[in-house]
């Protein structure tokens, strides 16, 4: 049974240099037709899986940029969501947003349509860095948009920050953190830059033209991040996420707890009925499929028991709380030690994992090399 719903809006007015998600320039795209196609896909999916949508806890509008849509398009999208997705158990409804696109009309359309959480892509408070990464907003946009969001009624507001950016200094990073804390928000996400294939940054990197900070400096930035978040009363509940009590993202926890969710839209991924699937990315292929009365799935994979165990480990260890022995045993009818005893013991000796009667979790040292720890739980067989 799905706990969450992800809906992909693949349109952007500006493409960021680091983004590898499925996206298209907004201009001259069939945006209205795409929104109607989303409604058709939701209708098809809820008909095919009638019992999978009875206890949806969260809905997440991602992209691309959902706020690239007009107020009228947002209203239509939200009406379609309410038509096909049972809302009685939804407690968190998030929309991603760009600070320079979230007008009052769009904000009110989102709020009226049931959205109660905003996740804003701020990334940096340094204007030169913003230009380098392809962002178009200014700090004034951030301040004005957040003030307006609070006035409209949004209390659950999160911003994304990035470190390890090309040419970024520690002074720029600490200045961004200081300005972020001054906003008095209940949630922050902070990610190190990953240079992904098929991005502008990847092309620059391949040509030796991307001036990235050293690994040591990036680690220092992460260390400062954890210290400052704690000093400002924000609890680290996942490697890259920090929140005041009661404001941790429920939707992201679904991924980290390896539970099922539906993914709708071009290029979206989902996990339903033990099957991980991905949709057609090209708009025409996606829309042609749903117009023909078919789910737009291009790839489907039945997750094996071994893969479920692996995913439970490397996803669950992203959480600061780690993995509970009781939950693992309830899911798999066996202990973690049956498959991972020697691995856990070695990582504990290396001071990368903590292990007690409750479960296992990364140590502070382990958070710096999380990906290396996670790889230890990939079984050869």
């Amino acid at each position: 049974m799905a706990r969450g719903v992800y809906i992909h809006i693949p349109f952007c007015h500006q493409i960021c240099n680091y983004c590898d998600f499925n996206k298209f320039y907004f201009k001259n795209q069939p945006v209205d037709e795409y929104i109607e196609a989303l409604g058709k896909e939701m209708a098809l999916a809820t008909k095919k899986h009638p019992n999978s949508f009875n206890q949806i806890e969260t809905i997440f509008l991602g992209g691309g940029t959902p706020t690239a849509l007009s107020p009228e398009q947002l209203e239509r999208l939200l009406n379609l969501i309410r038509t096909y997705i049972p809302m009685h158990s939804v407690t968190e409804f998030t929309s991603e947003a760009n600070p320079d696109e979230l007008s009052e009309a769009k904000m009110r359309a989102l709020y009226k349509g049931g959205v109660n959480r905003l996740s804003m892509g701020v990334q940096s408070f340094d204007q030169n860095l913003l230009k380098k990464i392809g962002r178009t907003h200014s700090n004034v946009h951030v301040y004005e948009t957040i003030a307006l969001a609070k006035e409209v009624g949004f209390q659950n507001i999160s911003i994304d920050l990035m470190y390890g950016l090309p040419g970024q200094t520690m002074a720029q990073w600490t200045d961004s953190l200081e300005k972020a804390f001054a906003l008095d928000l209940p949630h922050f996400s902070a990610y190190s830059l990953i240079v992904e294939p098929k991005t502008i940054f990847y092309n620059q990197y391949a040509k030796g033209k991307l001036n990235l900070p050293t690994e040591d400096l990036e680690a220092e930035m992460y260390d400062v991040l954890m210290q400052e978040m704690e000093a400002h009363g924000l609890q680290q509940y996942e490697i890259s996420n920090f929140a005041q009590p009661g404001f941790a993202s429920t939707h992201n926890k679904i991924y980290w707890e390896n539970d099922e969710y539906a993914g709708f839209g071009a290029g979206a991924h989902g996990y339903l009925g033990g099957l991980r699937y991905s949709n057609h990315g090209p708009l025409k292929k996606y829309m042609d499929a749903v117009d023909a009365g078919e789910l737009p799935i291009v790839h489907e994979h039945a997750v094996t028991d071994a893969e479920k165990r692996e995913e439970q480990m490397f996803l669950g260890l992203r959480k600061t709380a780690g993995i509970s022995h009781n939950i693992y045993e309830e899911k798999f009818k066996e202990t973690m030690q049956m498959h991972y005893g020697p691995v856990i013991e070695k990582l504990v000796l290396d001071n990368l994992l903590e292990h007690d009667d409750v479960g296992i979790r990364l140590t502070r040292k382990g958070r710096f090399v999380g990906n290396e720890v996670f790889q230890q739980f990939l079984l050869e067989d």
Side-chain angles (χ1 to χ4, degrees):
M1 181 178 293
R3 288 179 58 195
V5 168
Y6 173 81
I7 299 170
H8 192 67
I9 308 299
F11 305 112
C12 297
H13 292 295
Q14 172 69 22
I15 303 296
C16 298
N17 296 347
Y18 53 84
C19 179
D20 70 331
F21 293 115
N22 193 45
K23 74 277 185 187
F24 307 92
Y25 279 110
F26 188 93
K27 190 176 181 180
N28 298 324
Q29 297 293 349
V31 180
D32 292 320
E33 294 87 344
Y34 179 80
I35 293 171
E36 298 305 316
L38 280 171
K40 294 173 185 176
E41 185 190 4
M42 286 186 272
L44 289 166
T46 51
K47 183 177 180 180
K48 182 177 179 180
H49 305 280
N51 299 319
S52 292
F53 294 87
N54 294 333
Q55 295 296 322
I56 297 297
E57 300 171 35
T58 77
I59 301 173
F60 194 102
L61 302 180
T65 315
T67 51
L69 303 183
S70 70
E72 295 75 21
Q73 289 168 336
L74 287 170
E75 287 176 7
R76 178 58 180 159
L77 172 64
L78 294 167
N79 282 335
L80 286 169
I81 292 170
R82 289 196 302 272
T83 298
Y84 296 110
I85 306 300
M87 303 293 290
H88 62 275
S89 54
V90 173
T91 57
E92 180 185 280
F93 194 160
T94 302
S95 177
E96 291 183 340
N98 277 351
D100 54 341
E101 292 180 349
L102 193 52
S103 66
E104 181 175 356
K106 292 181 184 182
M107 212 177 294
R108 293 194 182 280
L110 290 169
Y111 192 72
K112 182 180 178 182
V115 173
N116 59 15
R117 182 176 184 269
L118 294 176
S119 177
M120 208 170 297
V122 173
Q123 319 311 4
S124 176
F125 286 87
D126 185 283
Q127 201 65 48
N128 290 327
L129 281 177
L130 289 173
K131 289 178 182 177
K132 280 185 182 180
I133 64 178
R135 303 291 287 178
T136 57
H137 69 267
S138 68
N139 291 353
V140 172
H141 286 127
V142 176
Y143 301 141
E144 291 180 348
T145 302
I146 288 177
L148 182 58
K150 292 178 179 180
E151 183 182 317
V152 167
F154 287 100
Q155 297 178 338
N156 194 350
I157 303 171
S158 174
I159 65 171
D160 288 355
L161 299 171
M162 294 182 72
Y163 59 97
L165 297 173
Q168 187 178 29
T169 65
M170 180 62 81
Q172 288 171 319
W173 178 230
T174 55
D175 181 67
S176 280
L177 288 174
E178 184 180 333
K179 287 181 169 65
F181 293 134
L183 295 169
D184 190 26
L185 300 178
H187 190 283
F188 296 93
S189 299
Y191 305 100
S192 64
L193 173 67
I194 299 175
V195 180
E196 302 281 7
K198 300 180 182 178
T199 64
I200 294 172
F201 274 171
Y202 185 83
N203 293 335
Q204 292 176 359
Y205 180 78
K207 296 174 183 177
K209 295 182 178 181
L210 197 63
N211 177 29
L212 296 175
T214 64
E215 289 184 5
D216 287 345
L217 178 54
E218 186 175 314
E220 288 176 26
M221 288 176 172
Y222 185 51
D223 192 29
V224 167
L225 169 69
M226 291 191 288
Q227 291 180 44
E228 290 298 312
M229 288 290 173
E230 184 177 4
H232 286 81
L234 292 138
Q235 179 184 4
Q236 184 174 16
Y237 68 96
E238 190 266 348
I239 285 179
S240 303
N241 285 273
F242 307 81
Q244 293 175 0
F247 285 92
S249 168
T250 305
H251 189 83
N252 286 338
K253 281 185 175 180
I254 293 172
Y255 302 146
W256 304 323
E257 291 169 2
N258 201 27
D259 288 332
E260 296 196 348
Y261 63 96
F264 297 120
H269 294 249
Y271 183 24
L272 282 178
L275 300 174
R276 289 200 180 274
Y277 65 90
S278 57
N279 282 350
H280 286 291
L283 292 180
K284 188 176 188 308
K285 287 188 176 181
Y286 169 80
M287 295 167 66
D288 284 350
V290 294
D291 285 343
E294 301 172 356
L295 286 172
I297 294 172
V298 66
H299 180 74
E300 200 170 57
H301 172 68
V303 183
T304 67
D305 288 342
E307 289 168 335
K308 289 177 183 176
R309 287 194 297 268
E310 290 177 356
E311 291 170 354
Q312 189 75 20
M313 301 303 288
F314 67 72
L315 291 171
L317 282 173
R318 293 190 63 90
K319 299 181 299 174
T320 307
I323 304 167
S324 156
H325 288 305
N326 289 340
I327 291 176
Y328 185 95
E329 290 169 19
E330 184 180 327
K331 272 194 172 185
F332 300 106
K333 312 305 178 190
E334 61 188 31
T335 67
M336 275 188 264
Q337 278 68 25
M338 285 187 66
H339 290 279
Y340 299 111
V343 174
I344 292 171
E345 183 178 347
K346 179 182 182 301
L347 291 169
V348 169
L349 287 173
D350 292 340
N351 193 28
L352 299 176
L353 278 187
E354 295 175 352
H355 183 203
D356 54 28
D357 292 341
V358 176
I360 65 171
R361 65 202 65 85
L362 290 175
T363 61
R364 196 176 192 282
K365 178 183 175 182
R367 294 175 205 168
F368 287 89
V369 290
N371 287 336
E372 294 176 24
V373 175
F374 305 152
Q375 288 174 6
Q376 303 302 308
F377 292 93
L378 300 179
L379 299 174
E380 292 182 8
D381 184 5

